Amino acid sequence: MIDPAEASRAFDAAFASHAPAGLAVRPETDADAAFLRELFLASYPLRDLLPEPLLGQQVQLRLDTFRRGFPGAMRRIVVGPDGPVGRLIVEWDHAAGPYCADIAVAPAEGRRGIATALLKAWIEVAEAHGLGCALTVAADNPARALYARLGFLETSPQPGVPAEVGVGMARPARP
């Protein structure tokens, strides 16, 4: 078993060693709500179809789902010189092993290695504790290729996650 507070501190240090220059992580706060809204809407397929009241409800539903579904999870915001650029949620003590509930980078910041640095830091901490890593990704998400490059293999979906929601991926613990 892994102590979530210890793992979060180790993650912050590991991210610093993998991060592109000028980036750091910090805990997510309520003040990040506007950034998280824009981050969600940047990849939301209905953003140009729904009226604002419904978009606001969709954003709130997503934020509430992560809060209720992963209440003790580590929530980190990636920040650069101009403000937030990404987000990661990891539940260190999930039944499937350290579980990434969400990872997202602002589209304008893509292809800088931010997601790779977040994933490498998460993997490094899990491996230090002899644990594998797990996540669920949408079947059509191009990030599946990144996960595969980092050693993730497709598995069955996580318990409680319908197959149409996403593909389970896991990185086995290293002996």
Side-chain angles (χ1 to χ4, degrees):
M1 194 52 126
I2 188 169
D3 174 56
E6 173 197 330
S8 296
R9 286 188 298 275
F11 173 86
D12 294 349
F15 180 79
S17 71
H18 294 288
L23 297 179
V25 290
R26 63 165 173 75
E28 180 182 305
T29 68
D30 291 341
D32 293 313
F35 166 70
L36 293 173
R37 173 189 167 82
E38 292 308 312
L39 190 62
F40 170 69
L41 291 177
S43 64
Y44 187 57
L46 302 177
R47 70 182 169 273
D48 296 327
L49 301 173
L50 295 178
E52 178 51 42
L54 289 177
L55 284 176
Q57 289 175 345
Q58 292 298 303
V59 169
Q60 196 58 50
L61 178 63
R62 181 163 175 97
L63 295 176
D64 289 346
T65 297
F66 281 127
R67 276 190 211 105
R68 283 194 305 270
F70 303 95
M74 176 189 78
R75 291 169 164 70
R76 290 296 185 262
I77 298 291
V78 180
V79 292
D82 298 323
V85 299
R87 177 223 213 157
L88 177 78
I89 299 175
V90 171
E91 186 175 48
W92 292 107
D93 55 1
H94 191 275
Y99 181 78
C100 180
D102 190 40
I103 181 170
V105 175
E109 301 293 332
R111 300 247 178 255
R112 290 186 50 204
I114 298 168
T116 301
L118 287 166
L119 293 165
K120 285 183 175 180
W122 170 45
I123 291 166
E124 184 176 310
V125 174
E127 283 187 344
H129 289 84
L131 299 170
C133 298
L135 55 82
T136 302
V137 61
D140 63 348
N141 190 329
R144 286 172 67 185
L146 169 61
Y147 303 142
R149 281 195 307 274
L150 293 175
F152 284 82
L153 306 171
E154 290 189 13
T155 65
S156 58
Q158 296 299 319
V161 178
E164 62 273 9
V165 170
V167 175
M169 296 188 82
R171 188 171 194 284
R174 301 286 186 223

